[in-house]
């Protein structure tokens, strides 16, 4: 293989328009507090799948989500046992805990008393919720606890379903703004809104309508998005449209999968849009008949080796020398493989040619060397 000097990679720049102006909320307190809206970075949220009453299991899952980059975590509170567990969970979690309340208004007060950072309520699922808004507003206001009005297509208020016939964008927005108005009457405006639907295009239309009619922060989500691949694609399609228009302050990629995968998908979406500083990014070719190496296997081994790499870095894994050198130019480190060997690139320069069996080990060595040099420079 020919050694070629390709120059230094160029930093990416975001080309998105300015973010939508919103009010700003503080979720949590102290070092763990997260700012939402008002120009703060878009935050990634997920939800635990454990029984909330199983405190140890829930805290373990929150720890795994935190390690993956989750910034806000929601826990379900369908029973008194779950409500009783909130205090310990909120106290020991490293990230702000949001209590998810359906059906029982009393659990809203329990979550506030337990020290949860915020509460999500679904008005369509809480009987006579409107009659309790004044009490909830006073309790949340006194404790400094923001509230998310979470409207879902699958649990829309029966009155609105009767009026619109189905969960249209207009129905979702009307439900959300009606509930906000009830809080506003009591002087409470520490609100965030979501209007979720399983159809990405209906969801996008709803958020566009909502963004034009209020200045509250918005939480983006495609509800019941599906299994890992389908749900990630549906969410990415919807989020990209809205975030590219400056709409959205927190996101959750709702998947029928380990919630850590939700966080990973959310991080990748934000990074791809230039809304988050890149962490580990692997650029790899899809493989073709030119490949002289098992690109899938090599990429999987590289991804596993770099899985917990503590520094932001872009790694290119290429299966041949056609596009390999050019892609490697844009990466921090990379490999262009062929004939049982791999050319190792560092910042556009070929530094070594190694046997295929040594590619992963050499990439790790060069990554560690590169980051050490940057730390001391």
């Amino acid at each position: 293989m020919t050694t070629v000097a390709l120059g230094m990679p160029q930093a990416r720049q975001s080309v998105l328009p300015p973010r939508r102006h919103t009010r700003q909320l503080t979720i949590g307190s102290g070092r763990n507090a997260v700012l939402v809206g008002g120009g703060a970075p878009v935050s990634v949220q997920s939800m635990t799948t454990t029984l909330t009453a199983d405190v140890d299991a829930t805290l373990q899952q929150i720890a795994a989500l935190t390690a993956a980059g989750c910034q806000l975590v929601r826990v379900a509170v369908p029973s008194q046992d779950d409500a009783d567990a909130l205090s310990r969970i909120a106290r020991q979690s490293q990230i702000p805990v949001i209590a998810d309340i359906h059906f029982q208004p009393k659990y809203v007060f329990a979550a506030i008393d337990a020290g949860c950072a915020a509460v999500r309520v679904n008005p369509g699922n809480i009987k006579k919720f409107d009659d309790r808004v004044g009490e909830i507003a006073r309790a949340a206001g006194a404790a400094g606890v923001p509230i998310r009005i979470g409207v879902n297509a699958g649990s829309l208020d029966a009155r609105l379903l009767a009026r619109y016939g189905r969960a249209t964008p207009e129905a979702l927005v009307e439900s959300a703004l009606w509930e906000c108005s009830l809080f506003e009457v009591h002087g409470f405006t520490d609100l965030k809104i979501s209007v979720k639907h399983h159809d990405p295009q209906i969801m996008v239309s709803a958020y566009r309508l909502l963004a034009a009619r209020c200045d509250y922060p918005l939480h983006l989500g495609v509800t019941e998005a599906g299994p890992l691949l389908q749900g990630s694609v549906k969410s990415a399609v919807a989020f990209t449209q809205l975030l590219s228009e400056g709409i959205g302050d927190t996101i959750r990629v709702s998947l029928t999968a380990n919630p850590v995968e939700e966080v990973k998908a959310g991080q990748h979406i934000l990074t791809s849009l230039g809304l988050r500083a890149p962490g580990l990014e692997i650029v790899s070719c899809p493989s073709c008949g030119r490949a002289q190496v098992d690109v899938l296997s090599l990429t999987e081994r590289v991804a596993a080796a770099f899985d917990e790499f503590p520094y932001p870095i872009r790694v290119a894994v290429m299966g041949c020398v056609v596009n390999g050198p050019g892609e490697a130019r844009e990466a921090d480190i990379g490999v262009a493989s062929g004939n049982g060997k791999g050319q190792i690139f560092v910042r556009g320069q070929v530094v070594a040619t190694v046997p295929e069996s040594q590619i992963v080990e050499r990439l790790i060595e060069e990554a560690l060397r590169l980051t050490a040099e940057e730390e001391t420079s």
Side-chain angles (χ1 to χ4, degrees):
M1 295 188 228
T2 304
T3 299
V4 181
L6 296 170
M8 297 292 285
Q10 300 297 311
R12 290 177 297 175
Q13 296 181 346
S14 175
V15 295
L16 299 183
R19 297 269 304 284
R20 164 180 170 265
H21 176 74
T22 76
R23 309 178 189 209
Q24 188 169 82
L25 301 177
T26 301
I27 311 295
S29 60
R31 292 181 300 173
N32 295 333
V34 174
L35 296 178
V36 171
V42 178
S43 300
V44 175
Q45 183 180 134
S46 186
M47 187 172 184
T48 56
T49 58
T50 57
L51 290 175
T52 304
D54 187 341
V55 175
D56 290 338
T58 300
L59 286 171
Q60 288 176 6
Q61 192 167 74
I62 291 174
L65 291 168
T66 304
C70 186
Q71 295 159 286
L72 299 165
V73 65
R74 190 155 42 107
V75 298
V77 190
S79 73
Q80 187 60 52
D81 287 342
D82 298 314
D84 293 340
L86 289 176
S87 178
R88 183 179 162 197
I89 293 170
R91 186 172 62 252
Q92 295 188 31
S93 173
Q94 294 178 302
I95 58 177
V97 173
I98 301 170
D100 189 69
I101 310 297
H102 296 262
F103 306 115
Q104 295 281 0
K106 66 179 182 179
Y107 296 144
V108 176
F109 301 103
I112 293 171
D113 292 341
C116 288
V119 175
R120 181 271 177 125
V121 295
N122 185 341
N125 269 347
I126 300 181
K127 293 181 180 180
K128 297 184 178 180
F129 175 79
D130 293 353
D131 298 337
R132 306 297 299 274
V133 168
E135 298 172 68
I136 292 171
R138 286 189 291 273
V145 174
I147 290 176
R148 170 155 71 94
I149 304 297
V151 178
N152 268 27
S155 53
L156 188 63
D157 189 299
R159 295 166 293 185
L160 291 169
L161 279 177
R163 183 184 308 164
Y164 287 93
R166 58 190 177 88
T168 64
E170 293 79 8
L172 295 170
V173 171
E174 183 174 334
S175 175
L177 293 180
W178 167 252
E179 297 301 336
C180 287
S181 73
L182 297 182
F183 279 94
E184 291 166 353
V185 166
H186 298 281
F188 186 88
T189 57
D190 286 345
L191 300 169
K192 181 171 66 171
I193 310 175
S194 62
V195 283
K196 296 184 178 182
H197 198 286
H198 67 271
D199 184 316
Q201 294 309 314
I202 294 177
M203 173 267 197
V204 167
S205 295
Y207 276 98
R208 284 173 174 159
L209 286 174
L210 186 59
R213 294 183 58 184
C214 73
D215 66 350
Y216 289 115
L218 303 182
H219 171 72
L220 305 186
V222 177
T223 192
E224 293 100 32
L228 180 58
L229 178 59
Q230 174 183 296
S232 297
V233 171
K234 288 172 68 174
S235 297
V237 166
F239 293 177
T240 297
Q241 293 181 72
L242 292 168
L243 292 170
S244 294
E245 297 170 16
I247 298 171
D249 302 284
T250 63
I251 64 171
R252 179 193 175 193
V253 181
S254 299
L255 301 175
T256 309
N258 186 319
V260 168
E261 299 300 330
E262 297 186 350
V263 177
K264 291 179 179 178
Q267 300 273 7
H268 282 305
I269 291 170
L270 294 183
T271 299
S272 296
L273 290 171
L275 291 171
R276 174 153 299 187
L280 170 66
E281 179 183 3
I282 295 180
V283 178
S284 57
C285 68
S287 191
C288 67
R290 295 190 302 265
Q292 297 175 329
V293 65
D294 185 343
V295 180
L296 174 60
S297 174
L298 177 59
T299 302
E300 288 177 343
R301 286 186 285 125
V302 171
F306 279 88
D307 185 45
E308 296 186 4
F309 197 76
Y311 304 97
I313 194 168
R314 188 184 303 172
V315 183
V317 182
M318 309 306 295
C320 74
V321 296
V322 174
N323 293 320
E327 291 292 345
R329 178 181 183 273
E330 301 299 325
D332 294 297
I333 62 172
V335 59
S337 304
N339 294 322
K341 299 178 181 179
Q343 277 190 325
I344 306 297
F345 294 81
V346 177
R347 295 285 173 84
Q349 302 287 334
V350 176
V351 298
T353 299
V354 300
E356 183 179 335
S357 61
Q358 297 177 18
I359 288 175
V360 176
E361 180 182 356
R362 186 58 183 264
L363 288 175
I364 289 289
E365 290 178 0
E366 296 299 338
L368 290 171
R369 183 179 296 111
L370 183 63
T371 53
E373 291 173 354
E374 291 189 348
E375 281 194 327
T376 57
S377 62

